[in-house]
Amino acid sequence: MSQPLEGVVVLDLSRVLAGPWAGQLLADLGARVIKLEHPVRGDDTRGWGPPWLEGEPDVERLAAYYLCANRGKQSLTVDIATEDGQALVHRLAAGADILLENFKVGGLARYGLDAASLRERNPRLIVCSVTGFGQDGPYAHRAGYDFMIQAMGGLMSLSGEPGGMPMKTGVAITDVMTGLYATIGVLAALQERSRTGTGRHIDVALLDVQVATLANQALNALVTGTSPERHGNAHPNIVPYQAFACADGHLVLTVGNDAQFARLADLLGHPEWAEDPAYATNAARVGNREGLVPMIQALLMDRGRDDWLTQLEAHGIPAGPINTLTEVFDDPQVQHRGLRRTLRRDGQVVPQVANPLRFDGEPVTSDIAPPHLGQDSDAILAEMGLTPEDIARLRRAGVVR
């Protein structure tokens, strides 16, 4: 099956998670993604372990963190602080469609590799710059990391138990969402370029993404003029929509409308709740959650989690278990959908999580394992027309590895 981005060439100068996540998505969709890394350090996340994927003694061990965002790419090492390295990037960019980078604002301009310089030679090039705070503004010069942005962008103020410490999410969700927005911007620019013949410089910032994805909570604040409070595992706008304890574990109950609540009330042996003005509508339940939720909690303690989940499903009431990650990958639906993938490289087994997109029923996850540092350098440089002598000279000078 042909892939949507077949023939598209991406230079990925980004590191850590947000930019590489976008690069991996583009690779899954069929683009050729060349990951440009420093010859010695490489991507920071190569060293963000343990845990590690161990290989043969003479093979680079790879951090699990690095493996999550670099599938489908080739690795070319280039020291862009050198003139030879800058010349190589210019040559690559002249024939590329997209360049992803997450240097500090102005960082690439020092090397003549900023968007304006690269697009002067290749006006069709789409440059996507991922930063903490954007290309302008009073914070533009600052570095940005997911944890800090979750704090500054309000997400942590919404997470955690009432009265407890504000909490970050268990995944660097701002980085992941920024990678998704970067991908959307790049795909939109590709579509526009098919009409105009000209690329774009896309500016996407972690703080902007964090604020934009506050969703209903942002509007709760803007409509009322008051900052939402933390509700732990409860929902600020829907009741009952939270975690509950059962006799032997926990489940999440997500009652999304009044008809579902009526069925829940019947299952719990209190059909009268559905007619009670204090609970009949979601607005009433939100206003009276302090009375309703403890009653539901007391009843759920009478049975085990799985027993309740069976009954809830039979009554058409949305609910689910709170799984650990090992339980997630053992789940029959997750297994059926093929979300756990195994790639192989030189006899080494490399676990992956599948891209959730399917086109005409076919998955789009790349079958190329995340690359070792510089594993494709010789092949790419030779493809660019460099001779073995040229490559050897650049390697001796430390420009490539």
Side-chain angles (χ1 to χ4, degrees):
M1 183 183 73
S2 63
Q3 296 174 295
L5 296 184
E6 199 169 296
V8 173
V9 177
V10 180
L11 303 183
D12 186 357
L13 275 74
S14 64
R15 307 166 305 285
V16 187
L17 187 54
W21 194 264
Q24 179 170 267
L25 290 175
L26 296 171
D28 281 343
L29 293 171
R32 180 188 183 187
V33 180
I34 301 173
K35 185 176 180 69
L36 302 179
E37 303 181 76
H38 188 275
V40 177
R41 297 187 300 272
D43 189 317
D44 302 29
T45 60
R46 288 182 179 273
W48 284 12
W52 310 95
L53 180 68
E54 300 288 354
E56 296 298 324
D58 59 342
V59 176
E60 175 194 7
R61 68 176 184 176
L62 297 173
Y65 200 118
Y66 164 77
L67 294 175
C68 84
N70 290 286
R71 175 180 62 240
K73 303 177 186 180
Q74 298 177 293
S75 174
L76 168 64
T77 56
V78 179
D79 184 354
I80 63 172
T82 66
E83 290 186 7
D84 284 335
Q86 294 158 19
L88 287 175
V89 175
H90 269 283
R91 287 177 62 179
L92 285 166
D97 298 287
I98 299 160
L99 185 141
L100 304 172
E101 62 94 2
N102 66 343
F103 285 73
K104 288 184 181 180
V105 174
L108 284 177
R110 291 188 298 162
Y111 310 118
L113 300 176
D114 54 298
S117 298
L118 295 175
R119 293 183 63 223
E120 184 176 350
R121 183 174 179 182
N122 178 9
R124 292 175 55 82
L125 184 66
I126 296 164
V127 177
C128 181
S129 296
V130 178
T131 58
F133 299 96
Q135 297 295 304
D136 50 40
Y139 301 163
H141 64 284
R142 297 184 185 178
Y145 286 89
D146 178 278
F147 187 12
M148 180 177 70
I149 299 298
Q150 285 194 39
M152 295 181 67
L155 183 59
M156 286 182 64
S157 76
L158 305 171
S159 304
E161 293 297 326
M165 179 179 286
M167 298 292 292
K168 68 178 181 66
T169 62
V171 172
I173 195 66
T174 307
D175 273 343
V176 172
M177 291 297 294
T178 300
L180 291 172
Y181 270 96
T183 304
I184 292 168
V186 163
L187 295 177
L190 274 176
Q191 171 63 21
E192 181 188 50
R193 194 186 70 178
S194 68
R195 301 193 314 271
T196 66
T198 303
R200 291 274 197 172
H201 182 199
I202 300 166
D203 171 9
V204 57
L206 271 67
L207 182 62
D208 295 356
V209 169
Q210 179 56 82
V211 174
T213 54
L214 291 171
N216 60 299
Q217 291 283 42
L219 269 296
N220 289 345
L222 293 175
V223 166
T224 65
T226 302
S227 295
E229 298 177 353
R230 289 191 297 281
H231 289 277
N233 285 319
H235 197 287
N237 304 112
I238 311 172
V239 173
Y241 198 101
Q242 65 184 78
F244 287 94
C246 303
D248 61 355
H250 294 80
L251 59 76
V252 165
L253 192 60
T254 53
V255 174
N257 57 53
D258 297 338
Q260 290 174 1
F261 177 73
R263 294 197 293 273
L264 175 66
D266 186 59
L267 173 62
L268 295 178
H270 289 276
E272 72 277 6
W273 287 353
E275 304 298 327
D276 189 330
Y279 310 130
T281 66
N282 180 68
R285 294 192 294 275
V286 171
N288 294 285
R289 73 167 75 219
E290 292 184 2
L292 177 62
V293 168
M295 291 192 294
I296 296 174
Q297 176 61 87
L299 293 166
L300 290 176
M301 288 297 293
D302 289 341
R303 299 186 197 173
R305 183 193 73 170
D306 292 345
D307 186 7
W308 277 120
L309 289 172
T310 299
Q311 293 296 317
L312 289 162
E313 181 175 5
H315 285 75
I317 302 164
I322 300 176
N323 287 331
T324 64
L325 293 197
T326 53
E327 289 172 330
V328 167
F329 289 108
D330 287 337
D331 184 278
Q333 181 67 20
V334 172
Q335 291 183 345
H336 176 82
R337 296 289 288 180
L339 291 171
R340 179 175 182 170
R341 294 287 304 276
T342 298
L343 306 182
R344 295 183 182 275
R345 179 187 50 229
D346 300 327
Q348 186 180 34
V349 175
V350 183
Q352 290 283 282
V353 179
N355 187 313
L357 293 174
R358 293 189 178 197
F359 286 20
D360 296 327
E362 295 292 329
V364 296
T365 305
S366 172
D367 59 3
I368 299 172
H372 288 290
L373 182 62
Q375 74 171 36
D376 304 291
S377 292
D378 285 1
I380 294 171
L381 294 171
E383 183 182 331
M384 294 170 63
L386 276 71
T387 66
E389 293 74 22
D390 293 331
I391 298 172
R393 177 184 60 81
L394 292 174
R395 185 165 283 117
R396 287 193 301 270
V399 178
V400 301
R401 175 177 175 176

